[in-house]
């Protein structure tokens, strides 16, 4: 990836190497490669979507202290992609990724709560609504996108069950 920089085929070379790194699960290298691609072309929707995914995957295996920073970097990359996305499929992917990040944060909000308090904590977390809104936006962009639709439906079912279980919340 380093050797591709500065050539007229830099973007294509970086994308090819970065995709191979992602496939190999060499996420730190892929992060560096896609950041170089973003630097060369800040409005590259696919590079920003890839960065959003890479930062999310890095957050999943990171120490708790670094997890929120990596999810924030993921959100930033996704929002850059969303600002430049012109195709409904690109916007749907961006909203789905935002939903996934919000869902990760929502799970973290109640994961460590006492068992008896988990339902109330899960229902009371604003990140449930954030995740649901993002998945619904993704589904509205691409009605054949089953991933976003299935996640929205699952979260609605969970929200309903929690509301019945925790009427005071």
């Amino acid at each position: 990836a380093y050797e591709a920089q500065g050539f007229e085929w830099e973007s294509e070379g970086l994308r090819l190497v970065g995709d191979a790194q992602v496939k190999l699960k060499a996420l730190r290298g892929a992060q560096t490669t896609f950041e170089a691609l973003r630097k060369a072309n800040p409005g590259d929707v696919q590079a920003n979507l890839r960065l959003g995914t890479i930062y999310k995957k890095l957050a999943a295996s990171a120490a708790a202290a670094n997890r929120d920073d990596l999810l924030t970097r993921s959100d930033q990359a996704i929002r850059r992609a969303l600002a430049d996305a012109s195709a409904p499929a690109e916007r749907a992917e961006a909203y789905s990724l935002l939903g996934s990040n919000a869902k990760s944060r929502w799970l973290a909000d109640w994961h460590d709560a006492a068992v008896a308090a988990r339902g109330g904590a899960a229902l009371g977390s604003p990140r449930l609504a954030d995740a649901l809104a993002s998945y619904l936006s993704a589904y509205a962009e691409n009605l054949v996108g089953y991933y976003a639709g299935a996640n929205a439906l699952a979260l609605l079912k969970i929200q309903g069950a929690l509301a019945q279980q925790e009427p005071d919340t």
Side-chain angles (χ1 to χ4, degrees):
Y2 177 77
E3 292 175 3
Q5 295 179 35
F7 288 97
E8 59 191 29
W9 45 268
E10 174 180 15
S11 294
E12 291 80 9
L14 288 171
R15 190 177 321 278
L16 184 65
V17 170
D19 287 341
Q21 289 170 313
V22 169
K23 187 175 180 180
L24 292 170
K25 297 184 173 126
L27 297 176
R28 288 288 176 193
Q31 171 195 347
T32 302
T33 301
F34 279 102
E35 285 291 354
L37 182 56
R38 185 180 71 84
K39 184 178 178 185
N41 183 5
D44 188 320
V45 173
Q46 292 305 315
N48 280 308
L49 288 173
R50 252 322 183 184
L51 280 168
T53 301
I54 290 166
Y55 281 121
K56 179 178 179 19
K57 287 182 179 183
L58 288 170
S61 61
N66 297 332
R67 199 169 295 138
D68 195 51
D69 177 57
L70 289 166
L71 283 175
T72 298
R73 287 175 181 237
S74 176
D75 285 345
Q76 290 169 341
I78 296 163
R79 290 192 191 289
R80 283 191 303 267
L82 196 54
D84 293 317
S86 59
E90 292 172 336
R91 290 191 302 273
E93 183 178 354
Y95 282 125
S96 287
L97 289 170
L98 287 173
S100 181
N101 285 353
K103 186 169 67 172
S104 293
R105 288 182 173 107
W106 173 65
L107 291 168
D109 283 349
W110 56 266
H111 183 268
D112 294 331
V115 174
R118 282 185 183 169
L123 185 59
S125 171
R127 292 173 181 178
L128 175 58
D130 293 344
L132 184 55
S134 292
Y135 282 128
L136 288 172
S137 293
Y139 191 60
E141 289 287 343
N142 184 7
L143 294 176
V144 297
Y146 66 90
Y147 173 82
N151 274 285
L153 179 60
L155 288 176
L156 284 169
K157 297 272 293 173
I158 290 167
Q159 187 180 45
L162 289 171
Q164 287 179 342
Q165 180 185 345
E166 301 287 336
D168 293 339
T169 303

